Amino acid sequence: MRSGSGFDETVDANWWRQATVYQIYPRSFADADGDGIGDLPGVVSRIPYLKSLGIDAVWLSPFYPSALADGGYDVDDYRNVDPRLGTLDDFDEMVAALHEAGIKLIVDIVPNHTSDRHEWFKEALASPEGSPARERYIFRDGAGPSGCEPPADWESLFGGPAWTRVREPDGTPGQWYLHLFAKEQPDLNWDNREVRDDFLKTLRFWSDRGVDGFRVDVAHALAKDLTEPLPPKAVIDATLPHGSHPFWDRDEVHDIYAEWRQVFNEYHPPRTAVAEAGVPAHRRPRYASADGLGQAFNFDLLMADWDAAAFRRIIEENLELARASDASSTWVFSNHDVVRHATRYALPNGTDLHAWLLGGGADPQPDKEQGLLRARAATLLALALPGSVYLYQGEELGLHEVTDIPADARQDPAFFRNPGVEVGRDGCRVPLPWTVTGPSFGFGDGKAHLPQPDWFGQYSVEAETKDEASTLRFYRKALELRRRLQTSEELQWVERTDASALHFVRPGGWHSITNFGTEPVELPAGTVVLSSAPLSEGKLPTDTTAWLV
Ligand code: BGC
């Protein structure tokens, strides 16, 4: 049995089941050396903040060496730290300091693709067709008489073709490689034993350094059936069900995770994992099974309208699905890929967020006050549910999406690959404001790598720490109280006559009620321990959640 960095061997192996996990997007969290890019010493410097927030674990988005063609999800070297973010020693120091503060660490792992600067890809380009170096990726001859057409008409998720042609070592145009994302992210060939073994080595490398778990990027894409002839896009999209799609959610992907699970179980406590798998709800339990990754993201609330019936259906379904694999559910409203939920809720239900961002975030005008009210109510509801809650840095400040980043400052490949169609995800990745004023609002001493708007200072940690009614103070209180709910996973609905309110009870007689309607609703007898907004004459106002005992 392996152990990591002297962490307490007696720790509960089920710590993850109801954990509150805080996502750090490291390049935008805290910049200790003033180069405009957040770094690992920056994370360490903010551990007192994380501790005072009351989280159980940090999920650290990629911190590996990367050219940042996709915000770090283009990894050059899986067993190293981007020199702009620090060193392996800094990493070890961060793990030790987090553990010292009682906070676990989950790291992002990106197995579907490397970056095009990974030594394997460079070797593949320098090697001939059919060579073992090319076999680690997905190379195919082109279609058409001179091979000048891509092998299939598939599109990358960031727009544009999913195949790129390479120049062979002799300088002639040659084969094509598959990249489901940006062209700088060549897909790995998971039928290749060497690829599989290398990832097992990576899992052990970080687990040995004391990492407690992994967030698995695009977990449903690794297994692929690329038997020739490759089906055209229209055929794939229209006919093939999940389980037999050529690259999404194939059943064989679970063989890979069964091997990973064996590695996780070499440790005490076993390392945990959460799958980012964009699959239909009924396909989630296999990713979340105990002989697989153990947990899977459920993004249903993140996509749901602000509506009591929709929330109830999603909660019931996901608790049921989690039970099916003996996992616990996950609840998420925001992350580094989506519009911040305070802003989403500031818009009418059903707003097309891509089109809205493209229009500069002005039509319709967001009702920021309503957005924050609903975001706080939604978060308090989720924090009362059984399962783990994944928070995204800055949501505890009630941050809104930044919608006016100039084109020449944007970084997201989705922006560059979709001219005039998408602005991408930079608006939720703007470096955090720590102070009311000062260079980059306390993010660092220099200019932040993405421009921060003037209004950021009002949402800073400094401003909100002083304000009793702030979103930060509210999150701290909620997380502190939530600890009392982390012991059992039961939930009982309370049926009410007012259909716009959602009401459930957790063990110990802990009530959570959310008012999605337009009129205040009655509260049950009991003491209100926290509400997401002030009560109105003893009633629960619109867009508010209250906890009572
Ligand atoms: C990550 C994205 C990333 C993509 C490709 C995801 O789902 O969350 O940020 O662009 O995978 O790695």
Side-chain angles (χ1 to χ4, degrees):
M1 182 74 58
R2 294 152 175 263
S3 68
S5 81
F7 195 36
D8 184 0
E9 294 282 322
T10 61
V11 76
D12 174 14
N14 283 323
W15 66 266
W16 53 275
R17 291 190 70 91
Q18 301 215 69
T20 308
V21 184
Y22 181 87
Q23 181 189 357
I24 291 185
Y25 189 75
R27 292 175 179 82
S28 297
F29 184 67
D31 172 20
D33 64 7
D35 66 355
I37 300 176
D39 43 40
L40 302 188
V43 173
V44 173
S45 73
R46 298 299 179 183
I47 289 177
Y49 172 76
L50 298 172
K51 194 169 163 63
S52 74
L53 191 55
I55 54 163
D56 300 300
V58 159
W59 149 28
L60 190 65
S61 279
F63 51 88
Y64 312 105
S66 168
L68 304 182
D70 180 19
Y73 285 87
D74 46 321
V75 179
D76 298 350
D77 177 356
Y78 291 89
R79 298 189 284 273
N80 215 334
V81 174
D82 184 335
R84 286 167 294 187
L85 270 63
T87 61
L88 278 170
D89 284 345
D90 291 328
F91 184 88
D92 293 342
E93 237 172 79
M94 179 184 69
V95 175
L98 284 167
H99 285 170
E100 181 65 33
I103 299 170
K104 311 268 193 309
L105 177 63
I106 293 173
V107 296
D108 225 305
I109 184 116
V110 189
N112 179 63
H113 40 264
T114 68
S115 81
D116 60 351
R117 306 195 321 169
H118 191 286
E119 65 170 59
W120 276 358
F121 195 69
K122 291 194 238 165
E123 197 188 333
L125 291 188
S127 303
E129 273 186 54
S131 58
R134 289 225 171 159
E135 278 304 303
R136 298 185 188 117
Y137 292 91
I138 299 166
F139 280 87
R140 289 286 184 279
D141 292 336
S146 57
C148 60
E149 299 288 329
D153 63 346
W154 305 349
E155 278 171 19
S156 129
L157 261 85
F158 292 147
W163 296 90
T164 290
R165 195 170 197 187
V166 301
R167 290 218 162 258
E168 296 299 344
D170 65 4
T172 56
Q175 286 195 295
W176 298 70
Y177 66 90
L178 177 68
H179 51 91
L180 294 181
F181 294 88
K183 73 173 181 5
E184 295 84 358
Q185 294 167 296
D187 279 47
L188 283 165
N189 170 16
W190 275 86
D191 285 337
N192 185 310
R193 190 64 243 175
E194 199 188 346
V195 169
R196 293 190 182 215
D197 287 341
D198 198 68
F199 270 87
L200 300 181
K201 187 169 167 187
T202 295
L203 296 175
R204 289 194 180 98
F205 179 87
W206 295 111
S207 299
D208 287 344
R209 297 192 105 89
V211 155
D212 303 283
F214 297 88
R215 177 264 188 193
V216 184
D217 190 60
V218 223
H220 57 310
L222 277 48
K224 298 185 175 78
D225 176 6
L226 301 178
T227 318
E228 314 265 344
L230 299 175
K233 180 178 178 324
V235 172
I236 297 177
D237 290 353
T239 56
L240 295 177
H242 280 265
S244 55
H245 188 283
F247 40 87
W248 295 133
D249 191 26
R250 292 186 63 78
D251 291 334
E252 310 90 86
V253 79
H254 299 291
D255 300 341
I256 297 170
Y257 299 131
E259 278 194 345
W260 288 26
R261 172 51 57 190
Q262 286 178 19
V263 173
F264 299 151
N265 289 351
E266 288 168 9
Y267 293 85
H268 181 80
R271 287 353 186 197
T272 66
V274 56
E276 188 221 20
V279 299
H282 72 277
R283 301 274 305 173
R284 235 176 258 142
R286 282 194 77 185
Y287 291 87
S289 73
D291 45 11
L293 293 175
Q295 206 178 39
F297 278 130
N298 132 38
F299 294 129
D300 299 350
L301 286 181
L302 177 153
M303 292 183 293
D305 280 345
W306 181 247
D307 175 78
F311 268 58
R312 172 137 180 195
R313 186 184 43 72
I314 288 170
I315 294 166
E316 283 181 327
E317 182 181 40
N318 280 287
L319 291 178
E320 194 49 49
L321 287 168
R323 267 193 292 274
S325 53
D326 199 24
S328 64
S329 191
T330 57
W331 309 106
V332 187
F333 290 106
S334 280
N335 64 34
H336 66 295
D337 288 332
V338 296
V339 170
R340 285 187 174 278
H341 70 290
T343 302
R344 181 164 64 86
Y345 288 137
L347 298 165
N349 275 346
T351 302
D352 175 342
L353 296 172
H354 288 296
W356 180 76
L357 283 175
L358 197 62
D363 184 21
Q365 271 298 323
D367 179 341
K368 284 190 160 189
E369 209 177 306
Q370 170 195 283
L372 187 52
L373 207 56
R374 290 185 176 178
R376 287 170 58 143
T379 299
L380 199 59
L381 182 164
L383 287 171
L385 292 171
S388 19
V389 180
Y390 285 77
L391 307 174
Y392 176 52
Q393 66 179 39
E395 69 165 82
E396 78 280 16
L397 304 173
L399 272 189
H400 282 277
E401 188 81 1
V402 180
T403 53
D404 55 358
I405 300 173
D408 61 2
R410 290 207 173 264
Q411 300 176 5
D412 187 352
F415 172 71
F416 299 108
R417 292 181 65 91
N418 283 298
V421 179
E422 241 194 272
V423 297
R425 302 159 293 179
D426 296 314
C428 64
R429 300 175 177 182
V430 175
L432 287 194
W434 294 91
T435 53
V436 177
T437 56
S440 62
F441 298 105
F443 165 68
D445 289 339
K447 203 164 147 244
H449 70 97
L450 274 169
Q452 298 160 301
D454 292 344
W455 50 265
F456 250 33
Q458 299 158 38
Y459 289 80
S460 63
V461 172
E462 181 187 19
E464 296 206 14
T465 301
K466 289 186 197 141
D467 174 4
E468 215 180 307
S470 71
T471 303
L472 177 58
R473 299 270 292 260
F474 160 71
Y475 265 67
R476 283 185 180 146
K477 185 84 190 149
L479 294 185
E480 183 194 326
L481 289 169
R482 176 176 147 82
R483 296 213 171 271
R484 293 197 225 155
L485 291 174
Q486 286 172 311
T487 46
S488 136
E489 295 183 29
E490 274 140 58
L491 172 149
Q492 202 140 36
W493 292 101
V494 178
E495 304 302 341
R496 297 177 60 107
T497 45
D498 35 15
S500 59
L502 270 198
H503 183 176
F504 55 85
V505 192
R506 297 290 309 279
W510 190 284
H511 293 253
S512 174
I513 309 169
T514 304
N515 182 3
F516 289 81
T518 49
E519 299 301 322
V521 299
E522 296 291 341
L523 288 166
T527 307
V528 175
V529 290
L530 187 62
S531 62
S532 59
L535 300 185
S536 134
E537 294 169 5
K539 290 187 170 183
L540 185 67
T542 184
D543 297 339
T544 305
T545 296
W547 285 354
L548 292 91
V549 285

